[in-house]
Amino acid sequence: MAQIYNFSAGPAVLPASVIRQVQSELVSYKNSGMSIMEISHRSSLYTDMEAEAEKNLRKLMSIPDEYDVLFLQGGGTLQFAMVPFNLARKNKRAGFIDTGHWAQRAIEEARLVPEIKADIVASASSTNYTTLPDVPNLEKEYDYVHLTLNNTIEGTMYRELPNALNGQILVGDMSSNIMAQRYNVGDFGLIYAGAQKNIGPAGMTVVIVKHELLDDRPELPAMLSYVKQAAKHSALNTPPVFAIYVAGLVFKWLLDQGGVDEMQKRNEKKAEFLYNYLDSSRLFSAPVKKDARSITNIPFVTGNEELDQRFIVAAQENGLVNLKGHRSVGGMRASLYNAFPFEGVQKLVEFMEKFEQSVGGNR
Ligand SMILES: *Cc1c(COP(=O)(O)O)cnc(C)c1O
């Protein structure tokens, strides 16, 4: 099989060694004679596996003891509603930083929750989301302020948290850069991330939440209640066993590689290699302003849609797949998550140089 480099934004590339391990233990998990997909979620085979996955995630992200770690279903998208259902209690008002597509989905869903007000406190719309917005000092009292740490589609990322948030409870969507960039969990009230970008297969969502924020809400359906999910160790109903298992293998792989700081270093190196080329190219360019650039999702364009299309097709024929940008912004996008190897970025830049020469380097 020819070597393929998968630049997909999600579901995305997983470590090759993890895929091979899944294959080798698929038929009989830990000599049980059953695959991981067939075991009971009430058996110790499952509970031991889940406990180890949680322990390793806590280690990787240095998660303090006063935080609950949940493995839920419904993706990042269910968290857009579950967060306001559980946390927007006292003032029934949450603040949102509008950094683009996923932040807007979060705002829309929060507004569907009865009685909740969702205020946009800052927006990058004036630059078409190629920058991160300045956050004003927040005067109103919010139950929480929601921030999308990495904007998967627009290609912007927070390296540091905005200062003005001081004192507000921060909720962070880390779906596309969890463990790609180091953040301090203690700065957040709640963090969530769908698994299928930087953790494992779709079907599992990581939620990390400060225990003191969870008070009982008996009126909430059980599946929407963090308290009830936490009380049952994320096994209130049948959990996504296979997805948790693969995520657990990825957590182990991350620890073996040197953890989040090592991943961040490698991701910065991969991203810098591509940005350096984009900034020097006469054909390709990166629309995002330098200080806002993501290290995991890198959009780029030629400035000519027909040429973009030709590039995507030619790249695909050369084993560089899934480079098409999101339909809402067009152009190309290279997603360089933890499991994406540096060689793949070198191959991409080599190919882009050739393509640039072939079209004469003119826009
Ligand atoms: C992909 C994505 C989501 C949505 O995730 P699903 O798991 O598909 O619901 C939410 N936020 C961000 C930042 C994303 O990249």
Side-chain angles (χ1 to χ4, degrees), residues 77 117 191 323:
T77 302
K117 295 233 160 37
I191 291 166
L323 278 165

Side-chain angles (χ1 to χ4, degrees), residues 155 271 274-275 278 294-300 332-336:
L274 180 52
Y275 283 124
L278 289 168
S294 169
I295 57 173
T296 48
N297 304 94
I298 304 181
F300 56 95
M332 283 72 73
R333 171 177 50 174
S335 295
L336 309 176

Side-chain angles (χ1 to χ4, degrees), residues 226-293:
Y226 293 128
V227 175
K228 288 173 184 163
Q229 294 278 12
K232 298 285 183 181
H233 274 275
S234 310
L236 184 144
N237 70 334
T238 316
V241 174
F242 183 74
I244 295 171
Y245 155 74
V246 180
L249 296 182
V250 172
F251 298 157
K252 246 186 260 168
W253 178 82
L254 287 168
L255 285 170
D256 289 346
Q257 299 297 306
V260 173
D261 296 327
E262 174 62 24
M263 282 299 133
Q264 182 176 337
K265 221 185 288 172
R266 290 186 201 176
N267 292 333
E268 281 167 358
K269 184 178 157 206
K270 288 182 285 182
E272 193 178 282
F273 193 81
L274 180 52
Y275 283 124
N276 280 346
Y277 168 69
L278 289 168
D279 289 340
S280 67
S281 168
R282 292 173 55 208
L283 177 65
F284 297 100
S285 63
V288 175
K289 299 298 171 296
K290 282 188 181 169
D291 60 353
R293 286 175 171 179

Side-chain angles (χ1 to χ4, degrees), residues 1 60 72 90 187 228 242 261 269 315 326 336 340:
M1 199 170 59
L60 283 161
L72 305 181
K90 195 162 139 256
D187 292 339
K228 288 173 184 163
F242 183 74
D261 296 327
K269 184 178 157 206
H326 190 268
L336 309 176
F340 193 94

